[in-house]
């Protein structure tokens, strides 16, 4: 009788042994990759309902994570999406090897390796130590793994490796997968909140002739069918406002957007964002809806409204604070953002330890000053009365045209969202676009582009409205992870491991990224 065999320690040797087992399976008439499983229960269902299921026959399926042999007894840990359950294998109870049922029987258990996906049909029981288990009478392989799982993945400090092999990260650390399930729930809770309030989800284009809606450097691409260069969207804003012009009154989009900038704990070049637009409402209405949305969505996602985030004790049930943009900067730094020169404010910025990349323009210096203050604000609160020169798409305030009806929800030192009463005066919008275009012409690659088609839409008429946008940064902050940790497959530098080069030498020249600098 053979059981799980001891294998060589190196990856290539173990891989060769497993490929040999695949050949052996096929010679025996066993399919190493059958099309489906006959699973009847998830692991959690058996554990939660043990009293009802005790003594009943079930079929479980999942990845084999552990294997312990004790004479005529073998204990295995089977992991599925719901958790783990123990396999309590009594060799004398295993049925005979069968090609018809694909049961391995006692004599071919050695075909199993850790990491294989297997199916076990048996009785729900408990061991002498009280461990809820399934005692199999049949075991078959569902997917024969060719590579062994890592032994000590949890100790790996090379985060780049974890991100490149995120599927292993999720396998070895189920809490990582659970975090991404919570991330999905976050977006689903937002959808449910908006749908219940009459908003309609409409997907907007990713490829654009003119990109806008934010200050950001876009990615460029080329469409062969039209022989034109296009941009990947940096925002969903302008298409969604075109929908307002087309008769929608409450509309939103959740999807990816792309900004050709660096990485940080709160920013990724590619990320998921929400934007919603509400006709016949203004920024004050938007602030009320934002408070309600944050409370509803975060409680549904995390089960609480009280958080400890980055050293701040956050209570979303309390009344939100309100900060005046101009006054706050003046109080904290001494800068008069309307009257001081950019050069003078740059001096103040440098003394405050801030940094400025790119153009030395008033909007850029003022924004950099604000960013030195933001990390000190715990909130929850709203930043209001943002100047027009940093808000090219927001409507001006009636009592002070230099300020806009714009707000940012601030929590734990982070801008959680951006929102404002939308500008719907076509002449005003054209003038602001022209000012932005001058900044672009002067070298500011993040200034907004002139979108003349959008101006034409406004000339036909767009109702007064408030617009709002947030990214998955909100989830990252409350989950307590960095941007890359909170993303299933974050972008990493292209890399081929040494083992890959050895295992697939004949395939290197066919790789899409197979230029000589990267694979030689």
């Amino acid at each position: 009788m053979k059981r799980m065999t001891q294998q060589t320690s190196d990856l290539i040797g173990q891989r060769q042994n497993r490929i040999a087992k695949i050949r052996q399976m096929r010679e025996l008439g066993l399919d190493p990759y059958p099309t489906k499983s006959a699973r009847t229960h998830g692991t959690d269902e058996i554990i939660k309902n043990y009293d009802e299921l005790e003594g009943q026959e079930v079929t479980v399926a999942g990845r084999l994570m552990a294997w312990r042999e004790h004479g005529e007894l073998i204990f295995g840990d089977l992991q599925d999406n719901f958790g783990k359950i123990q396999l309590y294998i009594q060799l004398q109870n295993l049925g005979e090897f069968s090609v018809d049922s694909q049961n391995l029987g006692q004599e071919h258990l050695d075909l199993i390796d850790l990491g294989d996906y297997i199916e076990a049909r048996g009785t729900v029981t408990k061991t002498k130590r009280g461990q809820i288990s399934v005692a199999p009478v049949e075991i078959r392989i569902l997917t024969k793994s060719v590579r062994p799982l890592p032994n000590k993945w949890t100790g790996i400090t090379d985060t780049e490796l974890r991100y490149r092999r995120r599927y292993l990260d999720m396998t070895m650390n189920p809490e990582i997968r659970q975090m991404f399930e919570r991330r999905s729930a976050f977006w689903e809770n937002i959808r449910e909140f908006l749908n219940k309030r009459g908003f309609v989800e409409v997907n907007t284009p990713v490829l654009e002739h003119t990109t806008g809606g934010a200050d950001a450097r876009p990615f460029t691409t080329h469409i062969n069918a039209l022989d034109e260069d296009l941009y990947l969207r940096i925002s969903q804003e302008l298409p969604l406002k075109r929908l307002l012009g087309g008769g929608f009154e409450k509309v939103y989009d959740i999807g990816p957007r792309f900004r050709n900038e660096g990485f940080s704990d709160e920013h990724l070049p590619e990320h998921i964002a929400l934007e919603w637009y509400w006709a016949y409402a203004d920024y004050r209405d938007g602030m009320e809806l934002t408070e309600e949305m944050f409370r509803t969505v975060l409680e549904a996602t995390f089960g609480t409204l009280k958080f400890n985030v980055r050293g701040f004790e956050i209570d979303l049930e309390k009344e939100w604070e309100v900060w005046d943009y101009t006054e706050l900067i003046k109080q904290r730094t001494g800068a008069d953002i309307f009257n001081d020169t950019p050069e003078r404010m740059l001096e103040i910025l440098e003394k405050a330890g801030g940094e400025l990349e790119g153009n030395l323009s008033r909007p850029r210096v003022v924004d950099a000053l604000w960013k030195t203050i933001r990390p000190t604000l715990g909130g929850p609160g709203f930043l209001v009365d943002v100047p027009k020169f940093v808000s090219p798409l927001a409507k001006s305030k009636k009592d002070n045209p230099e300020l806009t009806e714009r707000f940012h929800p601030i929590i734990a030192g982070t801008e959680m969202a951006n929102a404002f009463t939308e500008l719907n005066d076509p002449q005003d919008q054209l003038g602001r676009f022209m000012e932005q275009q001058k900044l672009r012409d002067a070298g500011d690659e993040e200034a907004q582009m002139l979108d003349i088609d959008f101006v034409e839409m406004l000339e036909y008429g767009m109702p007064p409205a408030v617009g709002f946008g947030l990214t998955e940064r909100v989830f990252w902050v409350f989950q307590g992870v960095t941007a890359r940790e909170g993303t299933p497959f974050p972008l990493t530098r292209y890399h081929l491991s040494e083992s890959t080069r050895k295992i697939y030498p004949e395939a290197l020249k066919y790789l899409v990224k197979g230029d000589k600098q990267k694979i030689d």
Side-chain angles (χ1 to χ4, degrees):
M1 178 176 58
K2 298 179 181 178
R3 303 181 192 165
M4 189 175 290
T5 55
Q6 181 66 38
Q7 299 186 343
T8 59
S9 59
D10 67 295
L11 168 63
I12 294 178
Q14 291 194 50
R15 183 175 178 274
Q16 290 172 343
N17 285 342
R18 292 180 181 222
I19 290 174
K21 290 184 179 183
I22 290 174
R23 288 196 297 266
Q24 184 182 353
M25 288 182 67
R26 287 180 168 140
E27 289 170 359
L28 289 168
L30 299 174
D31 184 355
Y33 304 103
T35 58
K36 66 173 295 183
S37 167
R39 179 170 68 174
T40 61
H41 295 76
T43 56
D44 66 331
E45 187 180 357
I46 294 172
I47 293 171
K48 290 177 183 176
N49 302 298
Y50 174 76
D51 291 341
E52 299 174 17
L53 293 173
E54 182 184 12
Q56 294 189 26
E57 184 177 277
V58 298
T59 300
V60 292
R63 193 190 286 268
L64 186 66
M65 301 299 294
W67 184 269
R68 304 172 295 279
E69 299 185 6
H70 301 278
E72 296 300 302
L73 294 177
I74 300 175
F75 300 92
D77 290 342
L78 193 71
Q79 177 176 291
D80 63 9
N81 184 62
F82 312 104
K84 283 184 181 180
I85 198 164
Q86 180 173 266
L87 299 182
Y88 177 43
I89 304 172
Q90 300 166 292
L91 293 177
Q92 72 272 17
N93 291 340
L94 284 178
E96 295 183 356
F97 167 76
S98 169
V99 173
D100 290 339
S101 68
Q102 299 282 289
N103 179 38
L104 296 176
Q106 294 184 36
E107 60 268 43
H108 294 300
L109 287 182
D110 64 322
L111 293 173
I112 297 176
D113 289 292
L114 293 181
D116 288 353
Y117 284 89
I118 65 172
E119 178 186 274
R121 181 173 66 84
T123 303
V124 176
T125 186
K126 278 186 180 178
T127 63
K128 291 181 180 179
R129 294 186 177 182
Q131 180 72 42
I132 297 175
S133 308
V134 172
V137 294
E138 283 190 352
I139 297 176
R140 70 178 180 125
I141 292 176
L142 296 175
T143 297
K144 183 68 195 153
S145 63
V146 176
R147 290 177 181 243
L149 295 174
N151 292 322
K152 297 181 179 180
W153 186 258
T154 54
I156 288 180
T157 57
D158 183 352
T159 54
E160 291 291 311
L161 178 58
R162 288 181 53 239
Y163 296 154
R164 289 192 187 100
R165 303 287 183 270
R166 207 55 187 268
Y167 45 87
L168 288 180
D169 199 17
M170 297 177 196
T171 297
M172 305 306 292
N173 301 299
E175 65 273 12
I176 299 293
R177 187 180 69 251
Q178 291 162 8
M179 175 181 68
F180 293 128
E181 291 174 351
R182 193 155 46 248
R183 176 178 179 261
S184 294
F186 169 77
W187 289 118
E188 188 57 34
N189 291 329
I190 286 179
R191 282 190 169 94
E192 182 178 358
F193 176 87
L194 292 174
N195 291 344
K196 284 183 176 179
R197 286 153 183 81
F199 284 82
V200 178
E201 183 175 10
V202 179
N203 298 127
T204 59
V206 169
L207 298 176
E208 299 180 316
H209 289 285
T210 303
T211 193
D215 294 344
R217 183 183 297 114
F219 286 93
T220 59
T221 187
H222 185 83
I223 179 168
N224 293 332
L226 301 177
D227 192 24
E228 289 184 349
D229 289 336
L230 298 174
Y231 299 101
L232 301 186
R233 71 179 179 200
I234 59 175
S235 168
Q236 299 107 309
E237 179 169 349
L238 300 186
L240 285 171
K241 288 199 285 194
R242 286 177 170 91
L243 291 172
L244 294 184
F248 281 86
E249 294 186 4
K250 290 183 174 181
V251 65
Y252 73 97
D253 185 14
I254 296 175
R257 66 185 190 190
F258 310 85
R259 298 183 176 184
N260 198 352
E261 51 199 27
F263 298 81
S264 76
D265 287 350
E266 292 190 359
H267 297 86
L268 292 177
E270 177 185 0
H271 54 268
I272 303 299
L274 154 77
E275 293 195 30
W276 56 252
Y277 292 83
W278 178 10
Y280 310 113
D282 69 1
Y283 79 117
R284 292 291 180 186
D285 301 309
M287 290 166 70
E288 291 181 11
L289 188 63
T290 297
E291 278 196 55
E292 185 186 2
M293 184 174 75
F294 268 77
R295 290 182 179 128
T296 303
V297 170
L298 291 174
E299 185 171 31
T301 303
F302 295 99
T304 183
L305 288 175
K306 293 179 172 61
F307 300 85
N308 185 302
V309 182
R310 300 174 178 176
F312 293 103
E313 293 296 329
I314 307 299
D315 183 355
L316 293 175
E317 288 186 300
K318 76 173 191 177
E319 184 178 352
W320 288 39
E321 300 178 69
V322 178
W323 301 287
D324 180 286
Y325 188 97
T326 304
E327 290 303 314
L328 185 62
I329 292 177
K330 192 169 186 177
Q331 290 171 9
R332 295 293 187 91
T333 71
D336 184 334
I337 65 174
F338 285 103
N339 297 311
D340 286 342
T341 64
E343 291 76 13
R344 163 67 178 152
M345 288 189 288
L346 181 60
E347 292 176 6
I348 296 173
L349 174 66
E350 291 172 347
K351 289 180 182 178
E355 297 180 353
L356 178 64
E357 296 181 1
N359 262 32
L360 176 61
S361 63
R362 184 175 301 275
R364 294 287 171 255
V365 181
V366 170
D367 184 58
L369 281 170
W370 153 242
K371 287 176 180 176
T372 67
I373 300 169
R374 185 186 64 203
T376 68
L377 303 176
F382 291 112
L383 183 74
V384 298
D385 291 344
V386 182
K388 182 170 71 172
F389 60 73
V390 293
S391 308
L393 294 167
K395 182 167 284 190
S396 296
K397 300 190 73 174
K398 288 182 179 180
D399 58 350
N400 187 345
E402 294 304 312
L403 303 178
T404 59
E405 295 190 354
R406 184 181 185 185
F407 70 88
H408 296 288
I410 309 296
I411 302 175
T414 295
E415 285 181 17
M416 290 288 173
N418 180 32
F420 43 80
T421 307
E422 300 298 333
L423 184 62
N424 60 347
D425 178 338
Q427 296 305 310
D428 191 355
Q429 181 65 83
L430 177 60
R432 297 198 203 184
F433 273 153
M434 296 292 284
E435 289 299 318
Q436 289 287 305
Q437 192 63 49
K438 289 177 183 177
L439 293 174
R440 286 189 66 83
D441 293 344
D444 187 346
E445 293 181 330
E446 294 187 0
Q448 297 197 29
M449 299 178 185
L450 172 57
D451 188 338
I452 199 66
D453 177 77
F454 181 74
V455 175
E456 290 182 7
M457 183 278 293
L458 291 180
E459 290 192 354
Y460 285 103
M462 185 188 85
V466 59
F468 173 97
L470 63 73
T471 73
E472 54 188 318
R473 176 195 303 158
V474 175
F475 174 79
W476 302 332
V477 169
F478 284 97
Q479 179 66 34
V481 295
T482 63
R484 295 214 295 168
E485 187 67 32
T487 301
F489 300 102
L491 184 65
T492 60
R493 191 179 297 278
Y494 185 74
H495 174 76
L496 283 177
S497 67
E498 190 60 33
S499 61
T500 299
R501 297 168 190 269
K502 290 180 180 179
I503 291 171
Y504 309 109
E506 73 287 351
L508 295 185
K509 63 182 178 180
Y510 297 111
L511 295 179
V512 173
K513 286 271 189 178
D515 52 285
K516 293 300 181 182
Q517 304 97 297
K518 291 181 177 175
I519 67 170
D520 284 352

